[in-house]
Amino acid sequence: MRKKIVAANWKMNMTVGESMAFMDTFLHELGADNSVEVVIVPPFTALAKVSEILSVGQQAKLGAQNMHWEKPGAFTGEISAPMLRELYVRYVVLGHSERRTLFGESDEIVNKKTRAAIDAALRPIVCIGETLSERDADKVEEVLDRQIKGSLAGVSARELVDVVIAYEPVWAIGTGRTATPQQAQDAHAFIRAKLAELWDSASAEKVRIQYGGSVKAQNAAELMGQADIDGALVGGASLDPRGFAEIVKAAARG
Ligand code: PEP
């Protein structure tokens, strides 16, 4: 049985003060139910404060939005895995479509980061997904196949089970346009079958695959009720503490 995992990707939003206010309301709304794994993914500047808050009740885990694959070094503007570990970060989002399209991240770069994260005992949340033109050209499976092979090259079966994959169709991110539960389930089933083909079916059954793309309280339960959807990576709707708590509760029911 895979434990559902719901992550709040705040992107470039939330000051330290806003993060504190969010956490106050969110943790209150969430209560003590820990049937779903919750990950808060603030901007780097708020990691330390959110880490401090989470160290008290431990109702949620901490994630980062990106990292560099090198350890220390002359990489101005970058953050390394050991820096994240020092703040008790447990998860790191890698290869988000905004990183891929706006900052030129290739599967090869995502792969280097995935390797570095695993080596540092951080759990990667590896994002994959097709653009609208790729879907229209019937290339969803081809794109997912390429991204899985490229991003996860060299990962062993033992390591794979701790990787989270986020299926995020690019056309659904921040657009208000959600994949239908069936479209999402079809993609998730394809991803799991591909993992079984490339690794083995026992490991593939253990990998959690999140859906991301305009998830909100109103559509979360149906999406997460699908057999191969093991949680959600939530952008816009994760900025509202009450709405995000509703999504987590929907995951618990799904
Ligand atoms: C995301 O950023 O990963 C995302 C899915 O965003 P949104 O929920 O706003 O579509």
Side-chain angles (χ1 to χ4, degrees):
M1 186 67 181
R2 298 181 293 269
K3 186 170 183 169
K4 288 212 166 47
I5 175 165
V6 176
N9 174 18
W10 289 352
K11 311 193 188 195
M12 198 172 71
N13 295 293
M14 300 282 212
T15 62
V16 174
E18 287 164 347
S19 304
M20 289 163 71
F22 175 103
M23 293 306 292
D24 196 41
T25 308
F26 174 67
L27 292 177
H28 178 75
E29 292 286 325
L30 190 62
D33 182 1
N34 65 359
S35 60
V36 172
E37 193 169 359
V38 178
V39 186
I40 303 294
V41 189
F44 290 129
T45 47
L47 279 174
K49 180 48 82 179
V50 176
S51 180
E52 194 186 309
I53 293 168
L54 291 178
S55 70
V56 181
Q58 302 190 340
Q59 288 152 289
K61 296 193 175 109
L62 191 60
Q65 297 179 16
N66 184 27
M67 57 169 252
H68 196 273
W69 61 87
E70 292 288 350
K71 288 179 185 156
F75 300 97
T76 302
E78 295 291 335
I79 297 284
S80 71
M83 293 169 180
L84 298 177
R85 291 276 306 172
E86 188 188 24
L87 297 177
Y88 302 100
V89 170
R90 305 286 293 278
Y91 287 89
V92 59
V93 176
L94 298 176
H96 189 280
S97 75
E98 287 150 16
R99 301 288 327 161
R100 290 177 186 265
T101 53
L102 302 174
F103 302 98
E105 287 195 9
S106 60
D107 285 329
E108 196 187 348
I109 291 176
V110 177
N111 185 238
K112 282 188 191 179
K113 294 183 176 189
T114 301
R115 180 76 264 151
I118 293 171
D119 289 346
L122 285 167
R123 293 182 171 200
I125 298 178
V126 176
C127 303
I128 58 176
E130 80 287 355
T131 62
L132 188 56
S133 59
E134 288 163 340
R135 174 164 284 267
D136 288 344
D138 225 3
K139 289 192 170 154
V140 177
E141 296 188 352
E142 185 185 318
V143 171
L144 296 179
D145 176 83
R146 187 183 66 234
Q147 292 178 331
I148 291 168
K149 286 178 179 153
S151 305
L152 299 179
V155 171
S156 70
R158 190 179 48 79
E159 292 164 341
L160 182 73
V161 298
D162 286 330
V163 172
V164 176
I165 294 181
Y167 168 63
E168 299 207 301
V170 179
W171 48 272
I173 298 177
T175 58
R177 189 176 157 189
T178 322
T180 64
Q182 192 58 52
Q183 281 174 324
Q185 166 58 24
D186 289 348
H188 283 231
F190 173 81
I191 293 165
R192 199 175 305 285
K194 185 55 65 179
L195 298 178
E197 180 194 316
L198 296 171
W199 282 270
D200 60 82
S201 46
S203 305
E205 281 304 313
K206 291 186 185 141
V207 174
R208 291 176 298 174
I209 308 174
Q210 295 175 309
Y211 169 77
S214 298
V215 173
K216 40 189 181 287
Q218 297 87 320
N219 59 22
E222 205 186 348
L223 283 161
M224 284 186 274
Q226 304 299 312
D228 286 290
I229 302 186
D230 309 310
L233 180 55
V234 187
S238 75
L239 298 173
D240 165 31
R242 291 189 180 83
F244 185 60
E246 284 306 314
I247 293 173
V248 175
K249 287 176 192 164
R253 291 192 301 272

